[in-house]
Every structure is written in structure tokens, then in C-alpha cells.
Amino acid sequence: MAVSKRKSVTEGVSSFKPYKEKKGEEYMNAKQKEHFRNILNSWKKELMEEVDRTVHHMQDDAANFPDPNDRASQESEFALELRTRDRERKLIKKIDEALEQLNSGDYGYCESCGVEIGIRRLEARPTATQCIDCKTLDEIREKQMR
């Protein structure tokens, strides 16, 4: 049974041209918003295409193998694909939320303290909702709770 090669969840995000800021340029101006809208929409499109490929793959490759080992291997492969798609479904929801924030003018600002998240951080993680300082503090608190 062939194992399908899957792209990284963030592979589509890394294939864009980084935004070149101009000196004195206002943060989250129309050009920057358009830049991130393009990134988010193309990322979402790639994830949706991956969902379609998975559905077709599972329909085409589904077989009732007489050998229990073959059947178990196929079920294991399908379970892994479904877990991956579930993670991507959650990511698509975050992308939709980021697109809503772009439309409302809240995108690019930390939901905890209100400061600018920053162009480079958003390019690395377009669904980021916190600045690096607040995110770091959250992670420290989370580790202390364990």
C-alpha cells in the first residue's frame, strides 16, 4: 500500500514574498492588509484542496482486505489522515477568524495588550493573535500549571 506524501501544514504560508516595509509606513495599511489577506486566502485554499484529496484518496483506496494485517495498515493510515485533516479543520477556523479580524480592523494587534504584533511575526504565523511577549508569558504560565 502506497503512503501518500503530505505537505506541511504551513508550507503554503512559506511560499509568499515577504512584505517590504517603507520607511514611515503606517502599520496595517491597505497594502499590508491585502498582503495578509492574500496569504490567508491562499493558505485556506491549499488546506481545502488537501481535504478534497483526502476524501478522494479514502474513497479510491478503500478496500476490504482479507488479510487482517493489510486491513489494519489501511485503517491506521486512514486514521492518521483523519487526525491531520481535523487539525487542519481547526486551522481553517483560525484562518477564517483572522480574515474576520482583517475586515474589522483588529488584525495585527495583540488581543491581550493591544500592541502591534509585527509584520514578520504575522508572516511566520498569520493566525497569531498575541504579540511575542504575551505569548511567551502565556506559555510560561501554561508550563507552571502542569
Side-chain angles (χ1 to χ4, degrees):
M1 179 180 322
V3 175
S4 59
K5 293 180 184 168
R6 295 288 178 207
K7 294 193 280 185
S8 161
V9 171
T10 58
E11 189 172 313
V13 177
S14 62
S15 63
F16 67 92
K17 277 180 136 178
Y19 185 82
K20 299 242 191 263
E21 296 174 79
K22 294 180 177 75
K23 191 172 182 174
E25 183 177 25
E26 182 183 342
Y27 183 70
M28 278 302 131
N29 61 40
K31 283 185 178 182
Q32 291 174 4
K33 287 180 181 179
E34 188 60 27
H35 174 71
F36 287 107
R37 187 172 280 110
N38 289 337
I39 290 172
L40 291 163
N41 281 324
S42 65
W43 194 13
K44 181 179 176 179
K45 181 179 178 248
E46 286 180 25
L47 291 170
M48 296 301 289
E49 288 171 357
E50 197 62 35
V51 168
D52 290 343
R53 275 193 289 276
T54 296
V55 169
H56 293 304
H57 167 70
M58 291 179 81
Q59 288 172 341
D60 294 345
D61 290 357
N64 192 5
F65 292 108
D67 180 15
N69 291 326
D70 289 340
R71 196 166 43 250
S73 292
Q74 182 184 50
E75 287 174 13
S76 178
E77 179 189 335
F78 284 178
L80 180 63
E81 282 195 44
L82 290 173
R83 272 198 312 271
T84 302
R85 294 297 83 77
D86 189 51
R87 280 197 330 268
E88 290 176 354
R89 179 188 55 79
K90 292 173 185 172
L91 181 55
I92 289 170
K93 185 176 183 248
K94 284 185 174 186
I95 292 170
D96 286 338
E97 290 168 359
L99 288 167
E100 285 176 26
Q101 287 180 328
L102 260 170
N103 293 333
S104 70
D106 295 329
Y107 184 79
Y109 296 93
C110 179
E111 68 182 10
S112 299
C113 69
V115 302
E116 297 174 358
I117 293 174
I119 300 294
R120 298 299 161 241
R121 174 157 165 70
L122 288 170
E123 284 180 335
R125 184 170 237 14
T127 57
T129 57
Q130 291 181 309
C131 67
I132 196 69
D133 293 336
C134 289
K135 184 63 177 171
T136 302
L137 283 172
D138 274 0
E139 289 173 356
I140 290 169
R141 282 187 207 113
E142 188 179 312
K143 283 181 185 175
Q144 290 175 343
M145 299 290 254
R146 289 184 195 168

